[in-house]
Amino acid sequence: MTDRDVFLPVGAQPTLEDLVEQAVTAEELGYDRAWFPETWGRDAVTAMATAAERTDEIGIGTSIANIYSRSPALLGQTAATLQEATDGRFRLGVGPSGPIVIENWHGMEFGNPLRRTRETVEIVKRVLSGDPVSYDGEYFDLEGFRLRCDVPEPAPPVDASGLGPKAVELAGRFADGWHAVSYTRDGLTERLADLRRGAELGDRDPNDLRVTVSVSCCALEDGERARELVAQHTAFYIGGMGTFYRDNLARQGYETVANEIYERWQDGEKERATAIVREELRDQMGAAGTSDEAREQLRQYLDLDGLDAVNVSFPRGAGPEEVHETMTALAP
């Protein structure tokens, strides 16, 4: 059975208390895991540590912690500490994010995200093993230290995000799972093949890898409002967050649509970009509408082969009451 997770909007909620209360509610509603993203709002580590103190059973993880703002060794230390804080409920998700965030917010060169992701995953796993870490990489050289505190048992799994074929293949080869975002239902098939190929290159069993797909969801009594929020969210990422999400949609057979959304958004025609999402992608991306409508659309994701978990994610414009209404309507 496919797990049903929840992807909490760390930066968008009015207060940390609102965010932590959403994690508590998710546990009460029976969700399997609460994922915490990290962009340019609240940091995910503080939010997760606070949520760990207020929950008992729900899994907790990052989706994703970027691989530029913390060193791989610090990511390993953080994963070990959060595994302790959650009594074994933690799962680390890492990824490169994108050049807009990394260069304009963190002030770092984006460089080669594939190589840096690989080195980060390898180093984090060595840190979590408790053995001395000796690593000679293109980006990182480590020597002479090991984790000073007790090694967490079990060590938390380390997942990687990825959009393109090579990034997904890398996740299959080196990580314990893949985090997918901004995919149509039909567009997942090719990437799952890339994941399996990566696992084979790493001499690993593809069935041991955990595939988690995030779906932008909004289930409200006002179904029209819900559909508009999800369309706005999708248009923002395709049109306003650089070219990665646009290119990802184009690879899935929507090149003309992806380019038009991007161009309209860049020209300041945000309402038109949003309208294109509603016209061209309403049956393929997201789960939005009334409770019954959104549940049926989410079910189509849950029924896809090759997925281990579907993430109920929320549009960036949704307020706390709308997040709560959606979380309740789409609960397991």
Side-chain angles (χ1 to χ4, degrees):
M1 179 180 293
T2 304
D3 283 355
R4 198 171 312 191
D5 298 346
V6 65
F7 184 89
L8 298 178
V10 171
Q13 298 310 293
T15 68
L16 177 62
E17 177 61 25
D18 288 320
L19 179 64
V20 172
E21 187 57 38
Q22 288 166 1
V24 172
T25 300
E27 180 172 76
E28 293 171 348
L29 290 171
Y31 284 93
D32 293 286
R33 183 172 297 274
W35 293 103
F36 290 73
E38 188 174 68
T39 53
W40 53 92
R42 295 181 183 87
D43 79 277
V45 176
T46 303
M48 288 185 294
T50 307
E53 285 294 307
R54 296 269 299 276
T55 57
D56 299 306
E57 297 179 356
I58 191 170
I60 290 176
T62 54
S63 183
I64 50 110
N66 80 72
I67 56 173
Y68 293 86
S69 60
R70 296 180 181 88
S71 72
L74 180 55
L75 282 168
Q77 292 173 251
T78 301
T81 306
L82 284 169
Q83 183 73 324
E84 183 178 2
T86 61
D87 292 325
R89 293 181 282 143
F90 183 67
R91 195 172 184 107
L92 177 68
V94 299
S97 185
I100 287 182
V101 173
I102 299 308
E103 295 180 354
N104 295 351
W105 178 243
H106 292 290
M108 300 185 68
E109 182 182 354
F110 194 62
N112 182 346
L114 287 177
R115 180 68 197 186
R116 193 173 182 118
T117 299
R118 171 180 172 171
E119 292 189 13
T120 297
V121 170
E122 289 180 328
I123 293 169
V124 168
K125 287 193 167 193
R126 294 188 191 185
V127 169
L128 292 171
S129 74
D131 296 331
V133 180
S134 177
Y135 194 89
D136 182 10
E138 181 178 334
Y139 285 97
F140 302 103
D141 295 305
L142 288 76
E143 187 69 47
F145 284 88
R146 59 182 294 175
L147 194 64
R148 189 176 184 183
C149 59
D150 290 340
V151 177
E153 291 289 349
V158 182
D159 299 337
S161 67
L163 294 178
K166 290 298 182 182
V168 179
E169 182 183 290
L170 183 147
R173 188 175 179 185
F174 298 102
D176 298 312
W178 171 45
H179 288 224
V181 64
S182 195
Y183 279 93
T184 65
R185 290 189 294 275
D186 292 342
L188 280 166
T189 303
E190 288 187 27
R191 297 293 79 80
L192 289 170
D194 296 327
L195 188 73
R196 289 191 294 271
R197 183 173 61 254
E200 291 166 1
L201 288 171
D203 195 23
R204 311 171 71 199
D205 184 348
N207 294 321
D208 291 338
L209 302 177
R210 186 170 185 79
V211 178
T212 302
V213 177
S214 288
V215 180
S216 184
C217 299
C218 197
L220 305 175
E221 184 177 351
D222 184 349
E224 183 65 20
R225 163 74 174 168
R227 286 184 286 273
E228 186 67 13
L229 283 170
V230 169
Q232 289 172 355
H233 179 89
T234 304
F236 168 77
Y237 274 90
I238 296 170
M241 287 297 288
T243 61
F244 286 90
Y245 294 101
R246 180 195 68 181
D247 294 345
N248 187 51
L249 182 60
R251 280 191 296 267
Q252 298 173 67
Y254 292 87
E255 183 174 3
T256 300
V257 172
N259 287 333
E260 187 173 2
I261 293 169
Y262 180 82
E263 290 165 6
R264 295 285 188 172
W265 190 279
Q266 293 297 311
D267 289 342
E269 300 178 50
K270 297 180 180 180
E271 290 185 4
R272 180 56 191 149
T274 300
I276 295 169
V277 171
R278 293 195 61 169
E279 293 163 8
E280 302 293 341
L281 299 173
R282 65 182 181 275
D283 295 327
Q284 276 292 320
M285 296 187 78
T290 63
S291 294
D292 288 342
E293 291 169 338
R295 276 197 294 265
E296 172 57 26
Q297 293 170 48
L298 185 65
R299 184 193 61 77
Q300 295 177 43
Y301 277 95
L302 290 163
D303 288 345
L304 291 174
D305 291 333
L307 306 186
D308 297 289
V310 170
N311 232 339
V312 173
S313 178
F314 307 101
R316 57 197 301 269
E321 292 183 1
E322 291 166 323
V323 169
H324 185 274
E325 186 175 349
T326 298
M327 192 186 305
T328 302
L330 300 182

